[in-house]
Amino acid sequence: VQLVESGGGLVQAGGSLRLSCAASGIIFRVNAMGWYRQAPGKQRELVAAITSGGSPNYADSVKGRFTISRDNAKKTVYLQMNSLKPEDTAVYYCHVESLYDYWGQGTQVTVSS
C-alpha cells in the first residue's frame, strides 16, 4: 500500500492550496482518513480527519479555513486550505486508518508573510 500526496508548495499569506492523497494497493476496511502536519521543532499534530461516513473533525487552528473531503471509490482524501497563514507552514502527512495505519511521505507547505 502506498499513499501518494500532491498539491503542496509555496503560497503567500491569504492564499489557497489543495492537497490530495491517493492510496494504491488493497486496503481492507478503511476507517478514518486524515491529514497531520509537523513544523520544524514541533510535534506532529492532527489537522483534519474524516470518517468513512463522511464526518469531519478539525483542529481548532484550522476550523473555518480548511475543508477535508474524501472519495471512497478513488481511495483519495483531499484537504482544501484557504486563508493560509505563515503558521500553517509545515510538512503535511496523509494518514489512513484501517487494520493498519498508513502514512504518506509528506508534502511541504510554505506560507510566506
Side-chain angles (χ1 to χ4, degrees):
V1 174
Q2 279 191 317
L3 303 183
V4 179
E5 299 151 342
S6 60
L10 173 64
V11 65
Q12 288 189 331
S16 298
L17 285 173
R18 187 187 193 219
L19 305 183
S20 299
C21 172
S24 63
I26 298 174
I27 307 178
F28 293 103
R29 281 191 279 177
V30 175
N31 297 321
M33 303 179 77
W35 292 91
Y36 287 71
R37 68 185 180 188
Q38 187 166 20
K42 295 188 176 181
Q43 289 188 330
R44 190 174 296 190
E45 62 175 359
L46 174 68
V47 177
I50 185 167
T51 67
S52 58
S55 296
N57 179 43
Y58 298 97
D60 288 343
S61 59
V62 306
K63 282 181 181 176
R65 300 189 296 122
F66 291 10
T67 302
I68 190 169
S69 60
R70 63 189 280 175
D71 185 327
N72 291 330
K74 294 182 178 179
K75 292 184 291 184
T76 300
V77 61
Y78 307 95
L79 186 68
Q80 178 66 43
M81 304 186 293
N82 299 327
S83 302
L84 283 160
K85 304 176 181 180
E87 51 264 43
D88 294 319
T89 296
V91 177
Y92 283 69
Y93 296 91
C94 174
H95 174 253
V96 171
E97 176 191 295
S98 65
L99 293 179
Y100 305 97
D101 281 338
Y102 300 98
W103 291 91
Q105 79 284 359
T107 184
Q108 178 70 46
V109 171
T110 302
V111 184
S112 63
S113 57

XYZ file of all heavy atoms in Angstrom:
856
model
N 0.847 -1.189 0.000
C 0.000 0.000 0.000
C 0.880 1.236 0.000
O 1.834 1.328 0.778
C -0.928 0.020 1.223
C -1.696 1.332 1.298
C -1.893 -1.160 1.169
N 0.550 2.157 -0.873
C 1.270 3.441 -0.919
C 0.277 4.592 -0.874
O -0.803 4.511 -1.457
C 2.087 3.552 -2.209
C 3.413 2.831 -2.179
C 4.283 3.207 -3.370
O 3.807 3.296 -4.490
N 5.563 3.435 -3.114
N 0.674 5.639 -0.176
C -0.110 6.872 -0.161
C 0.704 7.922 -0.894
O 1.812 8.236 -0.481
C -0.400 7.331 1.262
C -1.127 6.354 2.174
C -1.394 6.982 3.533
C -2.425 5.891 1.538
N 0.150 8.456 -1.956
C 0.867 9.431 -2.773
C 0.199 10.789 -2.607
O -0.967 10.956 -2.970
C 0.876 9.022 -4.256
C 1.616 10.060 -5.088
C 1.522 7.654 -4.413
N 0.967 11.719 -2.067
C 0.455 13.056 -1.799
C 0.873 14.016 -2.897
O 1.926 13.868 -3.517
C 0.994 13.562 -0.458
C 0.587 12.713 0.717
C 1.595 12.757 1.837
O 2.745 13.167 1.571
O 1.259 12.378 2.959
N 0.053 15.017 -3.096
C 0.384 16.070 -4.057
C -0.320 17.356 -3.641
O -1.254 17.323 -2.838
C -0.030 15.672 -5.473
O -1.423 15.448 -5.539
N 0.157 18.473 -4.211
C -0.522 19.736 -4.007
C 0.177 20.717 -3.091
O -0.278 21.855 -2.946
N 1.257 20.304 -2.446
C 1.973 21.246 -1.594
C 2.705 22.285 -2.427
O 2.753 22.225 -3.649
N 3.264 23.274 -1.734
C 4.013 24.292 -2.444
C 4.169 25.545 -1.617
O 3.964 25.541 -0.403
N 4.561 26.608 -2.305
C 4.778 27.916 -1.684
C 3.630 28.841 -2.059
O 3.275 28.946 -3.245
C 6.102 28.492 -2.167
C 6.424 29.934 -1.756
C 6.577 30.046 -0.247
C 7.697 30.398 -2.466
N 3.067 29.508 -1.067
C 1.947 30.407 -1.314
C 2.067 31.593 -0.364
O 2.634 31.468 0.728
C 0.605 29.669 -1.127
C 0.406 29.241 0.312
C -0.569 30.490 -1.627
N 1.536 32.721 -0.776
C 1.531 33.892 0.103
C 0.403 33.788 1.122
O -0.608 33.102 0.891
C 1.353 35.159 -0.729
C 2.575 35.542 -1.540
C 2.441 36.903 -2.181
O 1.332 37.344 -2.492
N 3.561 37.584 -2.387
N 0.571 34.468 2.223
C -0.471 34.503 3.243
C -1.777 34.968 2.626
O -1.802 35.899 1.813
C -0.060 35.418 4.386
N -2.857 34.291 3.009
C -4.158 34.584 2.444
C -4.512 33.739 1.242
O -5.665 33.747 0.795
N -3.535 33.033 0.727
C -3.753 32.206 -0.456
C -4.342 30.850 -0.117
O -4.682 30.567 1.041
N -4.450 30.012 -1.145
C -5.074 28.696 -1.006
C -4.209 27.620 -1.647
O -3.463 27.874 -2.598
C -6.452 28.684 -1.681
O -7.330 29.615 -1.082
N -4.339 26.433 -1.111
C -3.742 25.234 -1.694
C -4.706 24.077 -1.485
O -5.493 24.083 -0.527
C -2.409 24.893 -1.030
C -1.186 25.742 -1.366
C -0.015 25.331 -0.469
C -0.792 25.592 -2.829
N -4.601 23.095 -2.360
C -5.409 21.885 -2.204
C -4.486 20.678 -2.219
O -3.775 20.437 -3.207
C -6.441 21.757 -3.322
C -7.423 20.619 -3.113
C -8.303 20.448 -4.314
N -9.442 19.576 -4.052
C -9.913 18.686 -4.926
N -9.345 18.554 -6.107
N -10.958 17.937 -4.617
N -4.496 19.932 -1.141
C -3.698 18.716 -1.044
C -4.553 17.509 -1.423
O -5.745 17.457 -1.120
C -3.161 18.534 0.369
C -2.349 19.680 0.966
C -1.834 19.284 2.357
C -1.192 20.060 0.072
N -3.907 16.553 -2.076
C -4.564 15.296 -2.424
C -3.701 14.143 -1.948
O -2.479 14.247 -1.935
C -4.764 15.187 -3.932
O -5.580 16.214 -4.431
N -4.352 13.062 -1.589
C -3.639 11.853 -1.176
C -4.389 10.656 -1.724
O -5.535 10.412 -1.333
C -3.545 11.789 0.334
S -2.876 10.229 0.959
N -3.734 9.939 -2.628
C -4.349 8.775 -3.238
C -3.681 7.513 -2.724
O -2.452 7.399 -2.723
C -4.218 8.855 -4.758
N -4.490 6.561 -2.309
C -3.980 5.284 -1.823
C -3.992 4.258 -2.945
O -4.991 4.126 -3.661
C -4.824 4.797 -0.663
N -2.886 3.575 -3.105
C -2.820 2.498 -4.099
C -2.615 1.183 -3.370
O -2.063 1.138 -2.284
C -1.671 2.749 -5.073
O -0.444 2.743 -4.389
N -3.084 0.114 -3.968
C -3.000 -1.177 -3.323
C -4.301 -1.507 -2.616
O -5.245 -0.738 -2.606
N -4.324 -2.667 -2.010
C -5.537 -3.144 -1.358
C -5.502 -2.764 0.117
O -4.570 -3.105 0.826
C -5.668 -4.672 -1.511
C -5.769 -5.042 -2.996
C -6.899 -5.160 -0.739
C -5.759 -6.529 -3.245
N -6.521 -2.041 0.530
C -6.666 -1.678 1.935
C -8.024 -2.174 2.405
O -9.042 -1.796 1.843
C -6.583 -0.151 2.154
C -5.312 0.424 1.537
C -6.649 0.169 3.636
C -5.202 1.924 1.682
N -8.018 -3.007 3.407
C -9.270 -3.526 3.937
C -9.811 -2.600 5.006
O -9.096 -2.151 5.868
C -9.059 -4.928 4.505
C -8.733 -5.947 3.468
C -7.425 -6.388 3.317
C -9.700 -6.471 2.644
C -7.103 -7.335 2.347
C -9.390 -7.409 1.675
C -8.094 -7.844 1.523
N -11.102 -2.387 4.928
C -11.820 -1.625 5.947
C -11.144 -0.298 6.282
O -10.642 -0.099 7.394
C -11.983 -2.465 7.207
C -13.111 -3.476 7.079
C -13.435 -4.105 8.427
N -12.499 -5.168 8.760
C -12.524 -5.840 9.912
N -13.384 -5.517 10.837
N -11.670 -6.795 10.132
N -11.141 0.602 5.320
C -10.620 1.939 5.576
C -11.580 2.670 6.501
O -12.760 2.802 6.213
C -10.456 2.725 4.263
C -10.020 4.156 4.565
C -9.443 2.052 3.359
N -11.061 3.121 7.591
C -11.871 3.895 8.540
C -11.619 5.372 8.307
O -11.963 5.919 7.285
C -11.560 3.454 9.959
C -11.934 2.019 10.199
O -12.972 1.541 9.723
N -11.100 1.289 10.918
N -10.948 6.009 9.211
C -10.699 7.433 9.048
C -9.543 7.686 8.084
O -8.622 6.881 7.965
C -10.382 8.073 10.395
N -9.631 8.790 7.381
C -8.531 9.300 6.552
C -8.288 10.726 7.023
O -9.234 11.435 7.403
C -8.892 9.284 5.070
C -9.290 7.915 4.548
S -9.751 7.928 2.803
C -8.124 8.023 2.033
N -7.046 11.128 7.002
C -6.801 12.468 7.531
C -5.463 13.046 7.155
O -4.694 12.443 6.393
N -5.246 14.232 7.682
C -4.006 14.962 7.441
C -3.407 15.400 8.777
O -4.126 15.908 9.650
C -4.279 16.197 6.573
C -4.683 15.867 5.184
C -5.962 15.680 4.711
C -3.810 15.641 4.080
N -5.929 15.370 3.388
C -4.621 15.344 2.963
C -2.424 15.684 3.902
C -4.081 15.080 1.704
C -1.897 15.432 2.654
C -2.725 15.125 1.572
N -2.125 15.208 8.896
C -1.348 15.693 10.028
C -0.299 16.652 9.466
O -0.022 16.662 8.270
C -0.650 14.544 10.749
C -1.568 13.673 11.557
C -2.471 12.803 10.944
C -1.538 13.678 12.952
C -3.319 11.990 11.684
C -2.367 12.871 13.712
C -3.247 12.029 13.068
O -4.087 11.230 13.813
N 0.287 17.424 10.358
C 1.381 18.288 9.930
C 2.437 18.371 11.021
O 2.155 18.181 12.202
C 0.881 19.690 9.561
C 0.349 20.515 10.731
C -0.242 21.825 10.234
N -0.768 22.641 11.319
C -1.478 23.755 11.143
N -1.756 24.185 9.906
N -1.909 24.442 12.180
N 3.648 18.662 10.571
C 4.755 18.811 11.516
C 5.607 19.980 11.076
O 6.177 19.972 9.973
C 5.589 17.534 11.590
C 6.643 17.572 12.667
C 7.230 16.207 12.952
O 7.142 15.289 12.144
N 7.826 16.049 14.117
N 5.678 20.974 11.931
C 6.528 22.130 11.694
C 7.893 21.887 12.340
O 8.005 21.076 13.270
C 5.871 23.383 12.269
N 8.930 22.566 11.892
C 10.268 22.379 12.475
C 10.263 22.595 13.978
O 9.731 23.598 14.473
C 11.107 23.436 11.761
C 10.415 23.661 10.470
C 8.951 23.516 10.769
N 10.820 21.643 14.702
C 10.916 21.754 16.148
C 9.637 21.473 16.901
O 9.592 21.636 18.123
N 8.604 21.061 16.187
C 7.323 20.790 16.843
C 6.890 19.357 16.608
O 7.382 18.685 15.702
C 6.244 21.755 16.318
C 6.491 23.205 16.666
C 5.296 24.060 16.291
C 5.503 25.506 16.725
N 4.320 26.350 16.392
N 5.956 18.907 17.432
C 5.435 17.554 17.268
C 4.418 17.505 16.132
O 3.795 18.510 15.784
C 4.762 17.099 18.574
C 5.735 16.829 19.715
C 5.052 16.198 20.911
O 3.880 16.438 21.166
N 5.782 15.377 21.642
N 4.267 16.320 15.585
C 3.249 16.131 14.561
C 1.874 16.306 15.207
O 1.622 15.794 16.298
C 3.378 14.746 13.931
C 2.519 14.535 12.701
C 2.811 13.195 12.046
N 4.188 13.130 11.535
C 4.629 12.143 10.755
N 3.815 11.166 10.383
N 5.884 12.135 10.360
N 0.997 17.012 14.504
C -0.331 17.271 15.047
C -1.407 16.976 14.007
O -1.175 17.104 12.794
C -0.455 18.734 15.495
C -0.299 19.755 14.382
C -0.545 21.187 14.834
O -0.860 21.407 16.029
O -0.444 22.089 13.989
N -2.572 16.608 14.504
C -3.705 16.373 13.617
C -4.213 17.706 13.081
O -4.427 18.653 13.839
C -4.825 15.663 14.373
C -6.137 15.480 13.614
C -5.946 14.491 12.461
C -7.234 15.010 14.562
N -4.425 17.745 11.781
C -5.020 18.919 11.145
C -6.510 18.686 10.926
O -7.350 19.487 11.321
C -4.339 19.224 9.801
C -5.025 20.404 9.109
C -2.858 19.503 9.998
N -6.823 17.573 10.282
C -8.212 17.239 9.990
C -8.314 15.762 9.686
O -7.368 15.157 9.181
C -8.734 18.045 8.801
N -9.465 15.190 9.998
C -9.726 13.793 9.692
C -11.189 13.660 9.291
O -12.018 14.505 9.641
C -9.410 12.908 10.887
N -11.469 12.595 8.567
C -12.841 12.354 8.118
C -13.120 10.864 8.209
O -12.312 10.035 7.797
C -13.057 12.898 6.681
C -14.512 12.767 6.265
C -12.112 12.258 5.682
C -14.850 13.564 5.015
N -14.262 10.528 8.781
C -14.614 9.122 8.964
C -15.094 8.507 7.655
O -15.340 9.207 6.665
C -15.718 8.980 10.008
O -16.921 9.569 9.480
C -15.341 9.671 11.313
N -15.272 7.214 7.664
C -15.785 6.535 6.478
C -17.182 7.019 6.117
O -17.584 6.984 4.954
C -15.787 5.019 6.690
O -16.576 4.698 7.830
N -17.914 7.503 7.106
C -19.250 8.031 6.862
C -19.277 9.480 6.436
O -20.344 10.037 6.149
N -18.097 10.110 6.426
C -18.018 11.486 5.949
C -18.056 12.547 7.027
O -18.161 13.747 6.725
N -17.948 12.169 8.286
C -17.959 13.157 9.374
C -16.561 13.722 9.569
O -15.618 12.969 9.835
C -18.443 12.511 10.666
O -19.775 12.080 10.547
N -16.406 15.044 9.446
C -15.082 15.652 9.582
C -14.777 16.079 11.011
O -15.684 16.304 11.817
C -15.171 16.869 8.662
C -16.606 17.292 8.784
C -17.392 16.030 8.979
N -13.500 16.204 11.270
C -13.026 16.698 12.551
C -11.823 17.583 12.253
O -10.948 17.197 11.473
C -12.620 15.534 13.461
C -12.096 16.008 14.789
O -12.656 16.907 15.394
N -11.005 15.409 15.248
N -11.770 18.765 12.868
C -10.712 19.725 12.566
C -10.005 20.190 13.827
O -10.609 20.311 14.893
C -11.289 20.967 11.869
C -11.937 20.693 10.543
C -13.315 20.524 10.441
C -11.170 20.607 9.384
C -13.923 20.274 9.223
C -11.764 20.358 8.158
C -13.138 20.193 8.088
O -13.731 19.942 6.866
N -8.737 20.495 13.684
C -8.021 21.185 14.743
C -8.608 22.595 14.860
O -9.024 23.195 13.863
C -6.535 21.262 14.415
N -8.640 23.114 16.075
C -9.214 24.446 16.285
C -8.522 25.502 15.424
O -9.163 26.445 14.952
C -9.109 24.837 17.758
C -10.071 24.058 18.638
O -11.038 23.466 18.095
O -9.855 24.020 19.863
N -7.237 25.330 15.211
C -6.464 26.333 14.490
C -6.832 26.448 13.007
O -6.482 27.432 12.361
C -4.961 26.044 14.611
O -4.676 24.759 14.091
N -7.522 25.443 12.474
C -7.851 25.477 11.036
C -9.347 25.523 10.769
O -9.768 25.612 9.616
C -7.228 24.270 10.292
C -5.729 24.191 10.553
C -7.919 22.966 10.657
N -10.145 25.462 11.808
C -11.596 25.483 11.623
C -12.020 26.751 10.887
O -11.560 27.844 11.209
C -12.304 25.415 12.976
C -12.350 24.033 13.572
C -13.086 24.028 14.904
C -13.103 22.636 15.507
N -13.743 22.628 16.851
N -12.886 26.570 9.918
C -13.367 27.696 9.131
C -12.477 28.051 7.959
O -12.864 28.847 7.105
N -11.280 27.485 7.911
C -10.348 27.787 6.815
C -10.046 26.553 5.958
O -9.856 26.672 4.752
C -9.031 28.326 7.380
C -9.175 29.588 8.198
C -7.816 30.183 8.548
N -7.018 29.302 9.399
C -5.808 28.850 9.072
N -5.251 29.200 7.925
N -5.133 28.079 9.905
N -9.992 25.386 6.582
C -9.667 24.164 5.879
C -10.914 23.286 5.749
O -11.764 23.272 6.641
C -8.597 23.360 6.624
C -7.227 23.983 6.639
C -6.999 25.283 6.198
C -6.148 23.255 7.116
C -5.741 25.853 6.217
C -4.880 23.804 7.152
C -4.676 25.101 6.708
N -10.972 22.532 4.657
C -12.068 21.594 4.447
C -11.494 20.262 3.979
O -10.741 20.213 2.996
C -13.051 22.115 3.393
O -13.571 23.385 3.808
C -14.219 21.138 3.234
N -11.864 19.202 4.686
C -11.411 17.864 4.314
C -12.556 17.136 3.624
O -13.731 17.311 3.986
C -10.913 17.073 5.540
C -10.226 15.779 5.103
C -12.041 16.802 6.535
C -9.480 15.073 6.232
N -12.212 16.347 2.613
C -13.212 15.543 1.919
C -12.551 14.257 1.443
O -11.316 14.154 1.445
C -13.816 16.313 0.742
O -12.817 16.672 -0.196
N -13.361 13.292 1.053
C -12.800 12.025 0.591
C -13.667 11.448 -0.503
O -14.879 11.680 -0.551
C -12.636 11.036 1.735
C -13.928 10.612 2.407
C -13.669 9.805 3.676
N -13.340 8.405 3.397
C -12.983 7.528 4.335
N -12.865 7.927 5.590
N -12.724 6.272 4.012
N -13.024 10.667 -1.360
C -13.700 9.920 -2.411
C -13.379 8.459 -2.149
O -12.267 7.997 -2.439
C -13.202 10.378 -3.786
C -13.950 9.722 -4.928
O -14.366 8.556 -4.776
O -14.091 10.363 -5.981
N -14.318 7.735 -1.587
C -14.059 6.348 -1.202
C -13.763 5.464 -2.418
O -12.925 4.563 -2.341
C -15.238 5.792 -0.416
C -15.374 6.431 0.950
O -14.382 6.843 1.562
N -16.593 6.532 1.440
N -14.440 5.721 -3.506
C -14.225 4.905 -4.708
C -12.804 5.063 -5.226
O -12.205 4.115 -5.736
C -15.228 5.294 -5.779
N -12.257 6.259 -5.084
C -10.899 6.526 -5.565
C -9.863 6.363 -4.459
O -8.669 6.545 -4.703
C -10.807 7.943 -6.134
C -11.638 8.175 -7.380
C -11.449 9.587 -7.908
C -12.239 9.814 -9.180
N -12.081 11.202 -9.701
N -10.312 6.043 -3.256
C -9.412 5.925 -2.100
C -8.528 7.169 -1.995
O -7.302 7.081 -1.851
C -8.568 4.658 -2.207
C -9.384 3.376 -2.053
C -8.494 2.136 -2.064
C -7.886 1.876 -3.406
N -7.098 0.624 -3.464
N -9.164 8.307 -2.074
C -8.451 9.577 -2.075
C -9.056 10.518 -1.037
O -10.279 10.564 -0.872
C -8.519 10.229 -3.468
O -7.923 9.350 -4.429
C -7.773 11.551 -3.490
N -8.176 11.230 -0.363
C -8.607 12.233 0.589
C -8.013 13.575 0.172
O -6.891 13.632 -0.330
C -8.202 11.859 2.030
C -6.692 11.738 2.189
C -8.792 12.823 3.040
N -8.783 14.628 0.366
C -8.385 15.968 -0.047
C -8.382 16.906 1.153
O -9.125 16.712 2.110
C -9.354 16.518 -1.099
C -9.557 15.622 -2.284
C -10.623 14.725 -2.326
C -8.693 15.663 -3.380
C -10.826 13.892 -3.417
C -8.884 14.832 -4.468
C -9.952 13.951 -4.484
O -10.138 13.126 -5.571
N -7.573 17.935 1.054
C -7.584 18.997 2.055
C -7.521 20.334 1.325
O -6.495 20.678 0.749
C -6.407 18.873 3.028
C -6.430 19.870 4.194
C -7.598 19.558 5.138
C -5.109 19.821 4.969
N -8.640 21.036 1.336
C -8.691 22.376 0.761
C -8.306 23.368 1.849
O -8.966 23.418 2.889
C -10.090 22.690 0.235
C -10.248 24.091 -0.331
C -9.429 24.306 -1.585
O -9.384 23.452 -2.471
N -8.766 25.457 -1.674
N -7.252 24.121 1.598
C -6.734 25.051 2.596
C -6.874 26.476 2.068
O -6.262 26.829 1.055
C -5.264 24.741 2.888
C -5.029 23.308 3.328
S -3.320 22.983 3.831
C -2.479 23.184 2.267
N -7.701 27.251 2.732
C -7.920 28.649 2.361
C -7.420 29.578 3.460
O -7.184 29.140 4.586
C -9.407 28.905 2.114
C -9.976 28.068 0.979
O -9.282 27.756 0.001
N -11.239 27.691 1.112
N -7.272 30.836 3.112
C -6.821 31.854 4.079
C -5.587 31.377 4.834
O -5.520 31.460 6.068
C -7.949 32.178 5.067
O -9.101 32.631 4.384
N -4.627 30.881 4.104
C -3.428 30.322 4.729
C -2.637 31.379 5.472
O -2.578 32.552 5.057
C -2.561 29.640 3.669
C -3.072 28.259 3.238
C -2.491 27.859 1.894
C -2.732 27.228 4.303
N -2.032 30.941 6.561
C -1.234 31.810 7.422
C 0.195 31.279 7.485
O 0.408 30.080 7.301
C -1.829 31.832 8.827
C -3.289 32.252 8.896
C -3.807 32.135 10.326
C -5.273 32.523 10.430
N -5.775 32.400 11.814
N 1.149 32.135 7.807
C 2.531 31.645 7.937
C 2.662 30.503 8.944
O 3.481 29.593 8.742
C 3.287 32.892 8.397
C 2.518 34.029 7.808
C 1.080 33.596 7.894
N 1.842 30.507 9.968
C 1.910 29.434 10.974
C 1.379 28.096 10.454
O 1.483 27.085 11.150
C 1.178 29.827 12.266
C -0.229 30.345 12.064
C -0.283 31.861 12.029
O 0.593 32.490 11.375
O -1.214 32.430 12.640
N 0.807 28.082 9.268
C 0.404 26.820 8.643
C 1.584 26.138 7.950
O 1.447 25.000 7.477
C -0.700 27.067 7.612
C -2.000 27.546 8.238
O -2.370 27.017 9.301
O -2.628 28.453 7.658
N 2.712 26.799 7.886
C 3.892 26.225 7.257
C 4.330 24.961 7.985
O 4.528 24.970 9.198
C 5.052 27.242 7.249
O 4.682 28.358 6.426
C 6.326 26.615 6.714
N 4.435 23.865 7.244
C 4.786 22.572 7.839
C 4.873 21.538 6.720
O 4.508 21.813 5.571
C 3.732 22.134 8.851
N 5.336 20.364 7.096
C 5.205 19.204 6.211
C 3.879 18.541 6.561
O 3.615 18.247 7.733
C 6.366 18.218 6.389
C 6.147 16.999 5.497
C 7.693 18.887 6.067
N 3.065 18.327 5.550
C 1.743 17.740 5.744
C 1.782 16.267 5.339
O 2.249 15.927 4.254
C 0.710 18.489 4.919
C 0.329 19.819 5.540
C 1.244 20.871 5.584
C -0.924 20.023 6.093
C 0.913 22.080 6.166
C -1.270 21.237 6.676
C -0.339 22.255 6.711
O -0.680 23.455 7.295
N 1.263 15.423 6.226
C 1.274 13.976 6.015
C -0.160 13.449 5.919
O -1.005 13.767 6.758
C 1.967 13.270 7.171
C 3.426 13.615 7.319
C 3.840 14.659 8.132
C 4.404 12.875 6.645
C 5.179 14.977 8.276
C 5.744 13.183 6.792
C 6.127 14.233 7.604
O 7.460 14.546 7.742
N -0.357 12.612 4.947
C -1.626 11.916 4.804
C -1.613 10.681 5.701
O -0.575 10.027 5.862
C -1.785 11.518 3.339
S -3.212 10.503 2.985
N -2.759 10.350 6.265
C -2.872 9.184 7.139
C -4.148 8.415 6.814
O -5.208 9.018 6.615
C -2.891 9.618 8.603
C -3.148 8.510 9.559
N -4.349 8.355 10.226
C -2.357 7.488 9.962
C -4.283 7.288 10.998
N -3.075 6.748 10.862
N -4.015 7.109 6.747
C -5.173 6.237 6.542
C -5.214 5.226 7.672
O -4.228 4.530 7.947
C -5.098 5.506 5.187
C -6.184 4.444 5.097
C -5.234 6.493 4.046
N -6.361 5.170 8.311
C -6.558 4.221 9.416
C -7.413 3.060 8.921
O -8.534 3.259 8.446
C -7.254 4.925 10.575
C -7.603 4.025 11.739
C -8.515 4.724 12.738
O -8.079 5.697 13.363
O -9.683 4.297 12.845
N -6.845 1.859 9.001
C -7.625 0.668 8.648
C -7.225 -0.410 9.645
O -7.079 -0.123 10.836
C -7.347 0.261 7.197
O -6.020 -0.127 7.046
N -7.030 -1.628 9.178
C -6.500 -2.648 10.078
C -5.089 -2.266 10.515
O -4.637 -2.650 11.592
C -6.494 -4.005 9.378
C -7.874 -4.595 9.051
C -7.712 -5.931 8.324
C -8.708 -4.767 10.305
N -4.427 -1.533 9.657
C -3.108 -0.978 9.953
C -3.168 0.536 9.717
O -4.094 1.038 9.118
C -2.043 -1.595 9.050
C -1.992 -3.093 9.109
C -2.632 -3.881 8.158
C -1.299 -3.746 10.128
C -2.594 -5.259 8.221
C -1.254 -5.132 10.193
C -1.908 -5.877 9.243
O -1.865 -7.237 9.310
N -2.149 1.210 10.179
C -2.012 2.650 9.909
C -1.043 2.848 8.754
O 0.023 2.224 8.726
C -1.472 3.380 11.139
C -2.546 3.623 12.169
O -3.736 3.613 11.800
O -2.191 3.841 13.346
N -1.415 3.710 7.827
C -0.559 4.023 6.689
C -0.289 5.526 6.663
O -1.193 6.328 6.962
C -1.233 3.599 5.371
C -1.526 2.132 5.291
C -2.795 1.631 5.577
C -0.537 1.224 4.917
C -3.075 0.283 5.504
C -0.809 -0.131 4.846
C -2.076 -0.592 5.146
O -2.333 -1.943 5.073
N 0.941 5.874 6.272
C 1.350 7.277 6.213
C 1.921 7.600 4.842
O 2.613 6.771 4.238
C 2.402 7.576 7.269
C 1.889 7.528 8.664
C 1.873 6.454 9.495
C 1.308 8.602 9.407
N 1.309 6.797 10.695
C 0.962 8.114 10.672
C 1.038 9.946 9.109
C 0.359 8.904 11.656
C 0.449 10.743 10.082
C 0.116 10.227 11.337
N 1.656 8.815 4.381
C 2.300 9.296 3.177
C 3.698 9.786 3.491
O 4.133 9.829 4.642
N 4.408 10.168 2.417
C 5.796 10.590 2.581
C 5.907 12.051 3.021
O 6.982 12.488 3.429
C 6.557 10.394 1.258
C 6.320 11.473 0.200
C 4.978 11.361 -0.504
O 4.189 10.441 -0.228
N 4.714 12.277 -1.418
N 4.829 12.774 2.934
C 4.825 14.170 3.353
C 4.972 15.118 2.176
O 5.668 14.812 1.203
N 4.302 16.244 2.269
C 4.425 17.281 1.245
C 4.589 18.629 1.957
O 3.883 18.919 2.928
C 3.205 17.287 0.295
O 3.408 18.244 -0.742
C 1.902 17.613 1.024
N 5.533 19.412 1.478
C 5.850 20.680 2.132
C 4.845 21.757 1.746
O 4.553 21.960 0.559
C 7.264 21.139 1.749
C 7.674 22.476 2.337
C 7.897 22.425 3.829
O 8.539 21.519 4.343
N 7.353 23.412 4.548
N 4.352 22.445 2.753
C 3.517 23.631 2.540
C 4.229 24.804 3.208
O 4.525 24.752 4.404
C 2.112 23.450 3.142
C 1.344 24.767 3.107
C 1.349 22.370 2.379
N 4.518 25.829 2.428
C 5.192 27.013 2.946
C 4.339 28.235 2.651
O 3.974 28.472 1.494
C 6.579 27.189 2.314
O 7.367 26.017 2.562
C 7.297 28.395 2.901
N 4.022 28.977 3.699
C 3.206 30.176 3.561
C 4.070 31.376 3.922
O 4.539 31.492 5.053
C 1.960 30.118 4.452
C 1.084 31.343 4.216
C 1.178 28.831 4.219
N 4.268 32.248 2.969
C 5.102 33.432 3.206
C 4.242 34.604 3.659
O 3.088 34.741 3.270
C 5.855 33.801 1.928
O 4.936 34.149 0.901
N 4.842 35.435 4.485
C 4.095 36.591 5.022
C 4.213 37.803 4.117
O 4.981 37.827 3.181
C 4.611 36.929 6.409
O 5.997 37.179 6.371
